C-alpha cells in the first residue's frame, strides 16, 4: 500500500484495478482498500474496479457504501464482465 500511495502522488491513473482483502485485525478499518480509496478521492477522473472474494461481500459492501467504486467483480473474474466494466469506463469519458 505504501508503494501504491507514493505512486499516486506522482501519477494520475484513469483506472485502478485492485483487490479487496478483508482483514479483521485492523482496528479502524476492514481493508487496505480503504486507505487507497481515501487517496483516490483526491484524484478526479480516476475510477476504481475492485475484485473481491464472495464470502467477504458483506464487508466489501460496507466499504463500497462509503467510496465511489466503478465496478466490483467477484472471484473468479469473468472476463466478459471485466471487459464490460472497462467499456463502460471508456464510453463515460
Amino acid at each position: 500500500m505504501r508503494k501504491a500511495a507514493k505512486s499516486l502522488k506522482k501519477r494520475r491513473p484513469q483506472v485502478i484495478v485492485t483487490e479487496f482483502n478483508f482483514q479483521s485485525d485492523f482496528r479502524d478499518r476492514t481493508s487496505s482498500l480503504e486507505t487507497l480509496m481515501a487517496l483516490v478521492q483526491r484524484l478526479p477522473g480516476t475510477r476504481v474496479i475492485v475484485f473481491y472474494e464472495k464470502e467477504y461481500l458483506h464487508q466489501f459492501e460496507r466499504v463500497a457504501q462509503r467510496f465511489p467504486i466503478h465496478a466490483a467483480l467477484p472471484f473468479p473474474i469473468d472476463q466478459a464482465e471485466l471487459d464490460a466494466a472497462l467499456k463502460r469506463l471508456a464510453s463515460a469519458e
Side-chain angles (χ1 to χ4, degrees):
M1 183 50 60
R2 289 181 188 143
K3 288 182 181 182
K6 187 176 180 178
S7 177
L8 288 176
K9 291 179 182 178
K10 297 176 184 177
R11 298 182 176 130
R12 305 282 187 228
Q14 290 180 322
V15 179
I16 296 173
V17 179
T18 188
E19 182 178 348
F20 173 77
N21 290 309
F22 175 67
Q23 295 169 284
S24 62
D25 56 336
F26 283 171
R27 81 187 128 97
D28 60 341
R29 54 198 158 109
T30 60
S31 168
S32 58
L33 176 63
E34 291 171 271
T35 303
L36 176 70
M37 294 306 297
L39 294 168
V40 169
Q41 284 185 326
R42 299 181 214 149
L43 303 173
T46 297
R47 303 293 179 252
V48 179
I49 297 174
V50 179
F51 300 156
Y52 66 92
E53 295 288 346
K54 290 177 186 175
E55 65 258 26
Y56 297 123
L57 176 61
H58 179 70
Q59 289 86 356
F60 171 70
E61 286 176 334
R62 292 189 308 181
V63 174
Q65 289 174 358
R66 294 180 24 224
F67 297 103
I69 296 174
H70 172 72
L73 305 172
F75 285 110
I77 303 303
D78 180 293
Q79 185 65 46
E81 287 182 28
L82 179 56
D83 290 344
L86 291 169
K87 284 180 185 174
R88 285 192 304 273
L89 274 175
S91 65
E93 293 177 359

